[in-house]
Amino acid sequence: MILETTQQALQALFAGSVPADGAEAATPRGNGVLTRDYKIHGYHLDAQVAADQLLAAVTILDQAGFFIESITGVDWIKENQMEVIYDFSRYDFDTCRVVIRTRVPRDQPIVPTISTIYAGANWHERETHDFFGIKFAGHPHLVPLLLPEDADFHPLLKDFKA
Amino acid sequence: MSTPIQLRPDETFILNVGPQHPATHGVLRVKMEMDGEYIVKSETVLGYIHRMHEKMGENRTYAQYLPNLSRLDYLGALGYTHGHVLAIERAAGIEVPERAEYIRAITVELNRVASHLFWFGAFVMDLGGFSPLMYAIQDREHILDMLEAVTGARLTYCYYRFGGLYNDIDDDFIEAAKRFIPRMRKSLKKYAALVTGNIIFQKRLEGIAPVSAEMCRKYGATGPVARGSGINFDVRKNEPYSVYPEFDFDVPVYHECDSMARYKVRMDEMEQSLRIIEQGLEKLPGGPIMAEKKPKNIKLPVGDFYQAVETARGSFGIRIVSDGDKNAYRLKLRSPTYSNMHLFDEACEGMLIMDALAFMGSLDLVIPEMDR
């Protein structure tokens, strides 16, 4: 039930673009909402949004009562892109896991912070900044969390040399 | 003539708790701005034992990475290795024999009881009662001996393999587990009489450190912390995996939102874990413990896979982004105490320092699991 309503709400962000069907994503995939086979992938909805649609997408999930599971990044060095992945889930028995992802240019990785919506995003964003150097615009305290306080390196970048 | 020292009425000072402090049970530091005994503001500083397990996940094969998972949470390691093998099996499409899944569930639940027992002892010790820790460690010792005999390790287990187990359980293990259940039930009664009913204990916890369900949602708190705030959420029930749907067990939920509620959730959970172990031993099917058709070198299909499991501390998630190679392209570990501890800074504002330390104990922190 919640799956359909969330899918519709997220789909509304992409008015005008081609609605994605349940098929596996083509590479490279465009922005849009896909349903995924839970048995294989472990989540139900997979939405790729533009960085400026992020707050709108997260607000939809917040209003629908989702809790924040985690935030992380992926360095796609070949495509010269950086991906930020947000995981959301629910406390009730209407199981629905939603993944929001956004891609930004690798040399200018800036996405807006969602810690204004989910306070718990604060540490996850700091951690993602530690590991990838992704900047979260508007974050209240974007200093190293897990790395040493004077760290100026980002160990999960694919071109990182220890 | 020296001038008298004068204190301004609005003066605050910074108190540094940790990184070496008995109340944090590991290397965790909390900077607190204090107004007398009251906390004005607090800031948690993590990372003192950060080991970059996620990077190791990228430069090792999936099988080589197995031992890493038990170095996250040294008290409830089996839950974490369970999550890892389930994630790989899900992505690679490996069928696990039923006997192996039953043994996994039994050992994970034994490990959960051991973890909660140690937490119980340490928590009561934080509050000033020393002897319950000794009783708890004695009970836990039985579990560790049992698990040592089948897994070969006392804490950092590497027992599960993709497609099954490293070693079958024997009659000695089953006998020991059957002897342990009534013993543990007796102990739980003893703990209830010794600790739960204690008036000092109650006064230290009841109504202290309220964490609302809304705060849990905003921070992504799971496990006993969420269940102590009236949220009926347990991955074993909400998102069933392994053979948990076969078992009849309840999820204890308390609505008081205080430290006592979190304590009670864990104490009740031990009884529920015993029920699962009991049923598991009864229903334990025969057969192989390892999948027959299993590739020797595991390569996952291209894609993005997520697996959540309920560990002793809450919902542990593992995300594997695969580019089809024998290593993960990206491996993310979502640790439950990380999110549970995150709400501490907001929740402890205005709290007495002693209440805040009791609150920290009720969150059941394991620092290596937070720092990864």
Side-chain angles (χ1 to χ4, degrees):
Chain A
M1 183 58 202
I2 193 78
L3 182 77
E4 286 80 28
T5 51
T6 312
Q7 188 181 2
Q8 277 165 14
L10 287 172
Q11 197 80 64
L13 293 173
F14 305 100
S17 62
V18 188
D21 55 12
E24 290 294 294
T27 45
R29 68 173 283 200
N31 292 347
V33 188
L34 294 173
T35 53
R36 295 283 196 181
D37 186 354
Y38 174 78
K39 278 205 171 61
I40 297 169
H41 289 280
Y43 48 89
H44 302 85
L45 284 179
D46 184 343
Q48 182 166 316
V49 302
D52 56 358
Q53 289 172 311
L54 187 67
L55 288 176
V58 173
T59 307
I60 289 170
L61 298 180
D62 181 34
Q63 282 163 358
F66 282 78
F67 75 86
I68 182 163
E69 190 99 40
S70 72
I71 301 176
T72 188
V74 183
D75 178 15
W76 298 103
I77 191 163
K78 277 186 200 145
E79 284 117 77
N80 204 22
Q81 280 180 327
M82 209 80 93
E83 186 176 22
V84 190
I85 307 177
Y86 301 78
D87 278 286
F88 295 91
S89 184
R90 296 182 67 77
Y91 284 133
D92 56 23
F93 287 84
D94 199 354
T95 313
C96 179
R97 279 189 181 273
V98 181
V99 178
I100 305 274
R101 47 182 98 229
T102 181
R103 289 204 178 204
V104 286
R106 195 165 183 275
D107 47 6
Q108 226 189 352
I110 302 173
V111 289
T113 180
I114 65 159
S115 59
T116 44
I117 304 170
Y118 282 96
N122 189 315
W123 282 8
H124 292 294
E125 288 181 347
R126 277 172 72 185
E127 182 192 315
T128 311
H129 176 255
D130 277 8
F131 293 172
F132 294 94
I134 295 168
K135 291 192 179 63
F136 291 87
H139 190 286
H141 192 52
L142 201 62
V143 299
L145 178 71
L146 294 177
L147 295 185
E149 56 199 14
D150 56 350
D152 55 356
F153 49 89
H154 304 294
L156 283 184
L157 291 177
K158 290 286 172 185
D159 53 3
F160 170 76
K161 295 272 183 299
Chain B
M1 279 290 280
S2 59
T3 48
I5 295 170
Q6 281 184 341
L7 205 62
R8 292 196 309 277
D10 60 339
E11 194 165 64
T12 61
F13 63 96
I14 305 294
L15 181 70
N16 190 40
V17 182
Q20 302 285 350
H21 191 278
T24 60
H25 299 285
V27 276
L28 175 74
R29 176 177 169 215
V30 188
K31 283 193 275 186
M32 290 173 175
E33 187 185 345
M34 305 291 299
D35 179 7
E37 290 267 293
Y38 289 90
I39 298 168
V40 180
K41 206 168 175 298
S42 120
E43 184 192 339
T44 308
V45 183
L46 308 183
Y48 285 93
I49 37 173
H50 173 59
R51 292 145 294 164
M52 203 73 233
H53 274 293
E54 296 179 10
K55 185 77 179 179
M56 292 187 230
E58 288 178 15
N59 53 30
R60 293 164 188 217
T61 66
Y62 296 113
Q64 283 171 338
Y65 192 59
L66 270 174
N68 279 61
L69 270 297
S70 53
R71 269 83 184 161
L72 294 178
D73 176 355
Y74 52 86
L75 293 179
L78 280 172
Y80 294 76
T81 49
H82 197 195
H84 180 53
V85 293
L86 284 173
I88 302 290
E89 284 155 4
R90 150 176 268 166
I94 301 170
E95 289 278 328
V96 185
E98 218 188 1
R99 182 178 172 84
E101 275 297 1
Y102 268 88
I103 296 173
R104 284 179 184 180
I106 292 167
T107 45
V108 164
E109 294 308 319
L110 277 172
N111 205 197
R112 190 188 311 275
V113 176
S115 171
H116 282 355
L117 271 174
F118 197 82
W119 164 81
F120 161 76
F123 181 53
V124 180
M125 197 170 72
D126 283 351
L127 299 171
F130 187 73
S131 32
L133 178 71
M134 295 292 124
Y135 289 115
I137 285 184
Q138 198 182 13
D139 283 334
R140 176 172 169 263
E141 200 61 24
H142 289 267
I143 301 178
L144 295 188
D145 286 345
M146 266 186 264
L147 291 178
E148 187 185 10
V150 291
T151 67
R154 288 173 69 79
L155 291 174
T156 50
Y157 314 104
C158 182
Y159 180 46
Y160 307 145
R161 295 288 185 274
F162 308 131
L165 306 168
Y166 146 74
N167 188 14
D168 203 352
I169 57 172
D170 51 15
D171 292 343
D172 288 347
F173 176 87
I174 295 174
E175 276 308 305
K178 280 184 176 160
R179 269 200 312 275
F180 174 74
I181 293 167
R183 183 200 151 88
M184 187 63 217
R185 289 210 163 111
K186 227 171 111 188
S187 289
L188 285 173
K189 283 206 188 84
K190 182 167 70 191
Y191 298 150
L194 184 69
V195 176
T196 316
N198 184 307
I199 183 75
I200 302 170
F201 187 73
Q202 288 174 350
K203 293 276 181 204
R204 289 290 307 275
L205 300 180
E206 278 177 359
I208 302 294
V211 175
S212 68
E214 180 63 8
M215 193 190 262
C216 285
R217 186 176 79 80
K218 291 284 187 186
Y219 282 93
T222 50
V225 177
R227 290 195 282 277
S229 297
I231 298 169
N232 183 7
F233 177 75
D234 185 318
V235 185
R236 291 173 294 173
K237 286 275 191 197
N238 291 57
E239 238 185 298
Y241 57 92
S242 186
V243 285
Y244 283 108
E246 315 278 316
F247 298 123
D248 176 27
F249 67 101
D250 300 319
V251 176
V253 177
Y254 284 84
H255 294 267
E256 288 82 2
C257 305
D258 54 5
S259 294
M260 193 61 164
R262 294 183 277 276
Y263 166 83
K264 283 180 177 165
V265 166
R266 293 198 185 87
M267 297 312 274
D268 290 3
E269 260 177 29
M270 285 198 253
E271 167 58 26
Q272 298 305 324
S273 290
L274 292 178
R275 279 177 69 191
I276 296 175
I277 298 163
E278 205 169 34
Q279 293 167 42
L281 292 170
E282 211 169 273
K283 290 181 182 172
L284 187 69
I289 54 153
M290 199 67 193
E292 276 171 25
K293 284 185 213 149
K294 189 183 78 72
K296 204 168 177 211
N297 293 312
I298 290 192
K299 283 186 183 175
L300 299 190
V302 179
D304 183 334
F305 308 94
Y306 193 87
Q307 173 71 47
V309 288
E310 183 77 19
T311 67
R313 264 148 274 280
S315 162
F316 168 69
I318 180 162
R319 148 166 274 112
I320 297 172
V321 179
S322 165
D323 60 352
D325 204 357
K326 58 187 194 309
N327 296 10
Y329 187 75
R330 170 85 178 97
L331 194 143
K332 160 80 183 168
L333 306 167
R334 188 260 184 213
S335 73
T337 34
Y338 186 81
S339 299
N340 292 354
M341 181 62 198
H342 194 175
L343 56 77
F344 178 84
D345 286 346
E346 189 182 323
C348 76
E349 277 175 23
M351 215 183 267
L352 274 167
I353 176 113
M354 288 316 292
D355 289 345
L357 292 181
F359 172 38
M360 198 189 280
S362 79
L363 293 174
D364 190 8
L365 304 177
V366 169
I367 313 301
E369 193 255 11
M370 265 163 75
D371 283 357
R372 287 161 288 145

